[in-house]
Structure formats: structure tokens, C-alpha cells
Amino acid sequence: MPSAVPRETARASLATRARLFPVALLVIALGALLVRIAFVVVVDPQVPRVSDASAYHLLANNLADGRGYIRPFDFQMLDVVRPTAEYPPLFPAAVSVVSFVGVKSVEGQRLAMTLVGTGTVVAVGLLGRRVGGTSVGLAAAAIAAVYPMLFLSDGLLMAETPYVLLVTIALLLAYRAADAPTPSSFAILGAVIGLSALTRAEGLGLALLLVVPLAWGARRLEPRRRVVLAVTGLVAAGAVVVPWTARNALRLDAFVPISNNAATAVDGANCDVVYAGDQVGLWRETFSTLGPRARTLPQAEACFAGFDIADPGFDEAETSSEIRDEGLEYARDHTGRLPVVLAARGLRTWGLFRPGQQIRFETLEGRPESWLTLGTWMYWVLLPFSIAGAVLVVRRRAVRLWPLLATGVLVSVTAMATYGQQRFRIAAEPALVVLAAVALVALVHRMAPSPGAR
């Protein structure tokens, strides 16, 4: 009988924390929004004139102005209208809504993206609660609120902002599908994965990494029903992407599933300068006089030479196919170096190889070096806690670890297939934060145990 009191106290404590969770999460979200607004307004990171961020800005404004999805710099510099699939469409389409209502400046659009970034903080909090309870959820949200590796993209107008939100939602839906393995739950999961792929093409890999293992893991169901779940999720992901693929076929007269951007990534990551020496695992480019950056490399030191957009016969799909083949041919001719190059790419992305050089390389996209350095240091602090959190999740057996690990697999494969870039780690950052929160909450409870602590 005496043990009944502590049990009742524990239940009351859990119920109280459950009631307070939405309020506490809202407070954290407001703090996250203030952090992001301050970063945009006070730090004011500069968007390079010719960059991915500038391309997104111009793509969005062209959409809002009714010009369609056209190559942004061709129109800006040459007043030439050419359809494009260089970038996946979802992020420019989202920003175009902001542009359509009159917010057409880079600064205004960056401020609008702080709301999306704040949504990611909320989603990370919900994911943390699903994995480890209310305390873990709030701890994960608090970390996400101030973690530079999450909010840097918000301030630079980059596609990673909606992408990481969609990946986090996909993880939440993955746990829902695992709890209730029905065709509808798998269809919704697949649809969100499809949306993530329309933001960053590698997001489609989650269809294989989440949908298929979760369907196979539904051991309570007979094999035929598990196949139905997997097919449903995969078809739903494809159904979201296929209309865009069809548009590309019609406008570009070529088969482009999502974007042509992979071609420049492959070409720029496969040449002598990034296969050996101190730049192994990086990506290098040079530009014609129509597309200069602040630092233009000599042709001998670059891989990707840029597009000759002044050529009246320039064809994006055809040129992309050619340079992709050049990059792949170089890789095939240098297979002996691939193990070293692939390892360097992966380690760079995970912040474990020449981090100082990596930080300087990534500032070319407009990221402030001091904040990128702070984010890298914070990541290093979180990483051992994330590993410890993964061990705790496995030991407790309360939830599956695989959905969180799947994002790490996706990041590693993406990096090795392209080049080393900490920005590519964005899909795994929510999982890292949640697992670190699991370990930190367990450590606090161990140091100061309380009745009913979870």
C-alpha cells in the first residue's frame, strides 16, 4: 500500500507536465523566432550576388510576376527567358507567395523564412516528446531554438529552411506509421517525403530509408499487407514528384526527375584538384564573365567551369547531361582514389575533417564565419550526447531508433555522392538534437532524481 502514493505522485507529475508542454513549447518557439529575426536584422548575413540564395530570390519574384519558372540569371543579365529545372521548385514557389503579397526584397523574404524556421523548432520539440517524453521534447526544442546549424539557412534564404521542417515532419509521421501501420498513414508519410524531394532532391531517398523498413517491420501484419504498405508509401511519394517531372519533360524536352543541379555537383566534385591535396573532398568552380563571384578561380584550379549562358543555343538540360557525364567519366577513370575521396566528403560533412578549411569554404555562400564556427563547435558538443542518446533509446526499447538514424544514412550517402559540405547535414540535425536531448535529460535526472521522472 505505501507504494501507491509515489505512483500516484508520479502520474500526477506526468499529467502536469503534459498539460504544460504546449505552453512551454510556445514560449520556446517565440524565443526561437526572436533569435532568427535578430540574426537577420542585426547580424545581417549578406547574400552573394550570384549564389543559390540569389537564384531562389529571383526565381520567386519571377514566379510572382507571372514569368514562370525561368533561369534567373539569364533573365536578369541578358533579358533572356529560358525554362529551368536547375533548382527543385517547392522553395521558390513558397517564397513566391511572399513576393506575390508585396515582399520582394531579399531582406523581407529572409524575415518571412524565420517563421518557417520557428516551425522547425516546434516540430523538433514534438519529435523529442515522441521519442523521450515531455522533458526531452522541451529540451530538444530549446537546443534547436539557438542552434546555428538550424537557423543559418533561415537568414540566408536557402532551401534547407523548408527542407529540414519537412524532414522533421516526416520523422513524426514515420513514428505514427510505425504505431498504426495503415495505408493512409503510409500514404501521408510518402506524400511528405515527396514534398521534401521537391525542396532538395535527396529527400526522395527517405522513401527507401523510411517507408520500406517501416513496412517490413510491421511484423503483426502478413507479408502481403506489408507489401501494400510499402507500395502505398512509395507511390504517394512518386505521385507528388511526377507532375513536376512531367512539366520538365514538356518544357525542357528531357527527362529530369527533379532538378539538373546534381550535374553541376558531380562535375564540380570530380577533377584533379579535389581528388588529391589539401582540397580533397571539396567542390570547385569558376565562372564566365557573365557569372562572377567574389572569388573567381583560374580554370586550372576548378572543376565546374560554369554555363555559357551568352550562347544563343544554350540548352540547360543538354549541357547538364554533358557535364554530368564528364564528372562521372573522371570518377570512373580514377576509381583508385575514390575510397579516399568518398571518406573525405563524408568526414567533411560531419565536421570531422579539416573543419577550419571547411568553414572558410562555406563562407563563400554568405554564411558569417564567426557564426558558422560557433555552430560547428556546438555541433561537436552535441555529437557525443547524441551518440549516448542513441544508446539509451536502444536500451529502453520504447521507440525505434532507425527513423532517426535513417537521416544520418541519407546525409552520408548524399555527401559521398556529391562533395563535403556541412550544409548537407541539415536533414540529420533534428535527429542529432533530439538524441542529445535524450542524453542530457537522463543526465539531469540522474544527478537530481525526482519522483516520476522520465
Side-chain angles (χ1 to χ4, degrees), residues 16-35:
T16 300
R17 279 187 286 173
R19 287 194 300 271
L20 292 177
F21 179 81
V23 176
L25 185 59
L26 176 61
V27 171
I28 293 172
L30 290 174
L33 179 60
L34 291 175
V35 167

PDB file of all heavy atoms in Angstrom, residues 16-35:
ATOM      1  N   THR A  16       0.764  16.781 -15.185  1.00  0.00           N
ATOM      2  CA  THR A  16       1.014  18.225 -15.117  1.00  0.00           C
ATOM      3  C   THR A  16       1.957  18.659 -16.220  1.00  0.00           C
ATOM      4  O   THR A  16       1.737  19.669 -16.895  1.00  0.00           O
ATOM      5  CB  THR A  16       1.621  18.595 -13.753  1.00  0.00           C
ATOM      6  OG1 THR A  16       0.699  18.231 -12.722  1.00  0.00           O
ATOM      7  CG2 THR A  16       1.908  20.084 -13.674  1.00  0.00           C
ATOM      8  N   ARG A  17       3.023  17.890 -16.425  1.00  0.00           N
ATOM      9  CA  ARG A  17       3.974  18.236 -17.469  1.00  0.00           C
ATOM     10  C   ARG A  17       3.336  18.147 -18.852  1.00  0.00           C
ATOM     11  O   ARG A  17       3.638  18.941 -19.739  1.00  0.00           O
ATOM     12  CB  ARG A  17       5.205  17.331 -17.391  1.00  0.00           C
ATOM     13  CG  ARG A  17       6.200  17.787 -16.329  1.00  0.00           C
ATOM     14  CD  ARG A  17       7.463  16.969 -16.395  1.00  0.00           C
ATOM     15  NE  ARG A  17       7.265  15.628 -15.863  1.00  0.00           N
ATOM     16  CZ  ARG A  17       8.168  14.661 -15.922  1.00  0.00           C
ATOM     17  NH1 ARG A  17       9.313  14.877 -16.514  1.00  0.00           N
ATOM     18  NH2 ARG A  17       7.924  13.484 -15.400  1.00  0.00           N
ATOM     19  N   ALA A  18       2.433  17.181 -19.041  1.00  0.00           N
ATOM     20  CA  ALA A  18       1.753  17.058 -20.323  1.00  0.00           C
ATOM     21  C   ALA A  18       0.883  18.282 -20.598  1.00  0.00           C
ATOM     22  O   ALA A  18       0.811  18.766 -21.733  1.00  0.00           O
ATOM     23  CB  ALA A  18       0.903  15.787 -20.346  1.00  0.00           C
ATOM     24  N   ARG A  19       0.221  18.799 -19.549  1.00  0.00           N
ATOM     25  CA  ARG A  19      -0.620  19.987 -19.724  1.00  0.00           C
ATOM     26  C   ARG A  19       0.220  21.230 -20.004  1.00  0.00           C
ATOM     27  O   ARG A  19      -0.191  22.118 -20.757  1.00  0.00           O
ATOM     28  CB  ARG A  19      -1.476  20.210 -18.479  1.00  0.00           C
ATOM     29  CG  ARG A  19      -2.618  19.209 -18.316  1.00  0.00           C
ATOM     30  CD  ARG A  19      -3.603  19.704 -17.273  1.00  0.00           C
ATOM     31  NE  ARG A  19      -2.986  19.892 -15.973  1.00  0.00           N
ATOM     32  CZ  ARG A  19      -2.891  18.956 -15.028  1.00  0.00           C
ATOM     33  NH1 ARG A  19      -3.384  17.743 -15.279  1.00  0.00           N
ATOM     34  NH2 ARG A  19      -2.314  19.203 -13.888  1.00  0.00           N
ATOM     35  N   LEU A  20       1.385  21.319 -19.383  1.00  0.00           N
ATOM     36  CA  LEU A  20       2.230  22.498 -19.545  1.00  0.00           C
ATOM     37  C   LEU A  20       3.062  22.471 -20.822  1.00  0.00           C
ATOM     38  O   LEU A  20       3.593  23.502 -21.229  1.00  0.00           O
ATOM     39  CB  LEU A  20       3.170  22.630 -18.331  1.00  0.00           C
ATOM     40  CG  LEU A  20       2.512  22.961 -16.999  1.00  0.00           C
ATOM     41  CD1 LEU A  20       3.562  22.988 -15.884  1.00  0.00           C
ATOM     42  CD2 LEU A  20       1.789  24.309 -17.067  1.00  0.00           C
ATOM     43  N   PHE A  21       3.175  21.303 -21.445  1.00  0.00           N
ATOM     44  CA  PHE A  21       4.036  21.170 -22.610  1.00  0.00           C
ATOM     45  C   PHE A  21       3.697  22.162 -23.725  1.00  0.00           C
ATOM     46  O   PHE A  21       4.602  22.840 -24.241  1.00  0.00           O
ATOM     47  CB  PHE A  21       3.985  19.733 -23.141  1.00  0.00           C
ATOM     48  CG  PHE A  21       4.826  19.499 -24.364  1.00  0.00           C
ATOM     49  CD1 PHE A  21       6.195  19.272 -24.251  1.00  0.00           C
ATOM     50  CD2 PHE A  21       4.254  19.527 -25.632  1.00  0.00           C
ATOM     51  CE1 PHE A  21       6.973  19.075 -25.385  1.00  0.00           C
ATOM     52  CE2 PHE A  21       5.026  19.325 -26.766  1.00  0.00           C
ATOM     53  CZ  PHE A  21       6.383  19.094 -26.639  1.00  0.00           C
ATOM     54  N   PRO A  22       2.423  22.285 -24.140  1.00  0.00           N
ATOM     55  CA  PRO A  22       2.139  23.234 -25.233  1.00  0.00           C
ATOM     56  C   PRO A  22       2.521  24.665 -24.893  1.00  0.00           C
ATOM     57  O   PRO A  22       3.030  25.396 -25.755  1.00  0.00           O
ATOM     58  CB  PRO A  22       0.619  23.097 -25.433  1.00  0.00           C
ATOM     59  CG  PRO A  22       0.266  21.770 -24.860  1.00  0.00           C
ATOM     60  CD  PRO A  22       1.207  21.580 -23.711  1.00  0.00           C
ATOM     61  N   VAL A  23       2.284  25.072 -23.640  1.00  0.00           N
ATOM     62  CA  VAL A  23       2.620  26.441 -23.235  1.00  0.00           C
ATOM     63  C   VAL A  23       4.131  26.648 -23.265  1.00  0.00           C
ATOM     64  O   VAL A  23       4.634  27.648 -23.801  1.00  0.00           O
ATOM     65  CB  VAL A  23       2.068  26.735 -21.829  1.00  0.00           C
ATOM     66  CG1 VAL A  23       2.494  28.132 -21.370  1.00  0.00           C
ATOM     67  CG2 VAL A  23       0.551  26.610 -21.815  1.00  0.00           C
ATOM     68  N   ALA A  24       4.863  25.692 -22.694  1.00  0.00           N
ATOM     69  CA  ALA A  24       6.325  25.811 -22.667  1.00  0.00           C
ATOM     70  C   ALA A  24       6.902  25.786 -24.080  1.00  0.00           C
ATOM     71  O   ALA A  24       7.828  26.538 -24.406  1.00  0.00           O
ATOM     72  CB  ALA A  24       6.923  24.676 -21.833  1.00  0.00           C
ATOM     73  N   LEU A  25       6.338  24.942 -24.945  1.00  0.00           N
ATOM     74  CA  LEU A  25       6.826  24.869 -26.323  1.00  0.00           C
ATOM     75  C   LEU A  25       6.556  26.178 -27.062  1.00  0.00           C
ATOM     76  O   LEU A  25       7.393  26.642 -27.857  1.00  0.00           O
ATOM     77  CB  LEU A  25       6.168  23.695 -27.049  1.00  0.00           C
ATOM     78  CG  LEU A  25       6.665  23.403 -28.467  1.00  0.00           C
ATOM     79  CD1 LEU A  25       8.163  23.113 -28.475  1.00  0.00           C
ATOM     80  CD2 LEU A  25       5.895  22.226 -29.075  1.00  0.00           C
ATOM     81  N   LEU A  26       5.418  26.798 -26.778  1.00  0.00           N
ATOM     82  CA  LEU A  26       5.107  28.088 -27.400  1.00  0.00           C
ATOM     83  C   LEU A  26       6.095  29.159 -26.968  1.00  0.00           C
ATOM     84  O   LEU A  26       6.559  29.958 -27.786  1.00  0.00           O
ATOM     85  CB  LEU A  26       3.683  28.506 -27.038  1.00  0.00           C
ATOM     86  CG  LEU A  26       3.240  29.883 -27.548  1.00  0.00           C
ATOM     87  CD1 LEU A  26       3.296  29.929 -29.061  1.00  0.00           C
ATOM     88  CD2 LEU A  26       1.837  30.223 -27.035  1.00  0.00           C
ATOM     89  N   VAL A  27       6.451  29.167 -25.691  1.00  0.00           N
ATOM     90  CA  VAL A  27       7.428  30.137 -25.188  1.00  0.00           C
ATOM     91  C   VAL A  27       8.781  29.939 -25.875  1.00  0.00           C
ATOM     92  O   VAL A  27       9.435  30.901 -26.297  1.00  0.00           O
ATOM     93  CB  VAL A  27       7.578  30.017 -23.662  1.00  0.00           C
ATOM     94  CG1 VAL A  27       8.745  30.869 -23.158  1.00  0.00           C
ATOM     95  CG2 VAL A  27       6.281  30.433 -22.976  1.00  0.00           C
ATOM     96  N   ILE A  28       9.198  28.681 -25.998  1.00  0.00           N
ATOM     97  CA  ILE A  28      10.462  28.383 -26.678  1.00  0.00           C
ATOM     98  C   ILE A  28      10.395  28.821 -28.143  1.00  0.00           C
ATOM     99  O   ILE A  28      11.351  29.378 -28.684  1.00  0.00           O
ATOM    100  CB  ILE A  28      10.792  26.887 -26.567  1.00  0.00           C
ATOM    101  CG1 ILE A  28      11.090  26.514 -25.107  1.00  0.00           C
ATOM    102  CG2 ILE A  28      11.982  26.529 -27.459  1.00  0.00           C
ATOM    103  CD1 ILE A  28      11.227  25.025 -24.871  1.00  0.00           C
ATOM    104  N   ALA A  29       9.247  28.577 -28.785  1.00  0.00           N
ATOM    105  CA  ALA A  29       9.087  28.962 -30.186  1.00  0.00           C
ATOM    106  C   ALA A  29       9.197  30.476 -30.357  1.00  0.00           C
ATOM    107  O   ALA A  29       9.827  30.960 -31.316  1.00  0.00           O
ATOM    108  CB  ALA A  29       7.748  28.463 -30.718  1.00  0.00           C
ATOM    109  N   LEU A  30       8.605  31.224 -29.449  1.00  0.00           N
ATOM    110  CA  LEU A  30       8.717  32.690 -29.518  1.00  0.00           C
ATOM    111  C   LEU A  30      10.168  33.127 -29.361  1.00  0.00           C
ATOM    112  O   LEU A  30      10.637  34.038 -30.057  1.00  0.00           O
ATOM    113  CB  LEU A  30       7.837  33.332 -28.446  1.00  0.00           C
ATOM    114  CG  LEU A  30       6.323  33.210 -28.668  1.00  0.00           C
ATOM    115  CD1 LEU A  30       5.566  33.761 -27.468  1.00  0.00           C
ATOM    116  CD2 LEU A  30       5.901  33.928 -29.942  1.00  0.00           C
ATOM    117  N   GLY A  31      10.875  32.475 -28.452  1.00  0.00           N
ATOM    118  CA  GLY A  31      12.298  32.770 -28.296  1.00  0.00           C
ATOM    119  C   GLY A  31      13.073  32.435 -29.554  1.00  0.00           C
ATOM    120  O   GLY A  31      13.965  33.188 -29.978  1.00  0.00           O
ATOM    121  N   ALA A  32      12.752  31.295 -30.180  1.00  0.00           N
ATOM    122  CA  ALA A  32      13.417  30.898 -31.423  1.00  0.00           C
ATOM    123  C   ALA A  32      13.167  31.918 -32.526  1.00  0.00           C
ATOM    124  O   ALA A  32      14.076  32.253 -33.306  1.00  0.00           O
ATOM    125  CB  ALA A  32      12.916  29.520 -31.859  1.00  0.00           C
ATOM    126  N   LEU A  33      11.940  32.433 -32.590  1.00  0.00           N
ATOM    127  CA  LEU A  33      11.621  33.437 -33.604  1.00  0.00           C
ATOM    128  C   LEU A  33      12.431  34.711 -33.387  1.00  0.00           C
ATOM    129  O   LEU A  33      12.962  35.297 -34.344  1.00  0.00           O
ATOM    130  CB  LEU A  33      10.120  33.744 -33.565  1.00  0.00           C
ATOM    131  CG  LEU A  33       9.622  34.793 -34.564  1.00  0.00           C
ATOM    132  CD1 LEU A  33       9.905  34.355 -35.996  1.00  0.00           C
ATOM    133  CD2 LEU A  33       8.128  35.043 -34.364  1.00  0.00           C
ATOM    134  N   LEU A  34      12.560  35.130 -32.135  1.00  0.00           N
ATOM    135  CA  LEU A  34      13.343  36.330 -31.832  1.00  0.00           C
ATOM    136  C   LEU A  34      14.815  36.132 -32.203  1.00  0.00           C
ATOM    137  O   LEU A  34      15.457  37.049 -32.721  1.00  0.00           O
ATOM    138  CB  LEU A  34      13.206  36.687 -30.353  1.00  0.00           C
ATOM    139  CG  LEU A  34      11.827  37.187 -29.907  1.00  0.00           C
ATOM    140  CD1 LEU A  34      11.803  37.399 -28.391  1.00  0.00           C
ATOM    141  CD2 LEU A  34      11.464  38.478 -30.631  1.00  0.00           C
ATOM    142  N   VAL A  35      15.350  34.949 -31.931  1.00  0.00           N
ATOM    143  CA  VAL A  35      16.737  34.651 -32.294  1.00  0.00           C
ATOM    144  C   VAL A  35      16.923  34.777 -33.800  1.00  0.00           C
ATOM    145  O   VAL A  35      17.890  35.388 -34.286  1.00  0.00           O
ATOM    146  CB  VAL A  35      17.129  33.234 -31.819  1.00  0.00           C
ATOM    147  CG1 VAL A  35      18.448  32.793 -32.451  1.00  0.00           C
ATOM    148  CG2 VAL A  35      17.250  33.197 -30.299  1.00  0.00           C
TER     149      VAL A  35
END
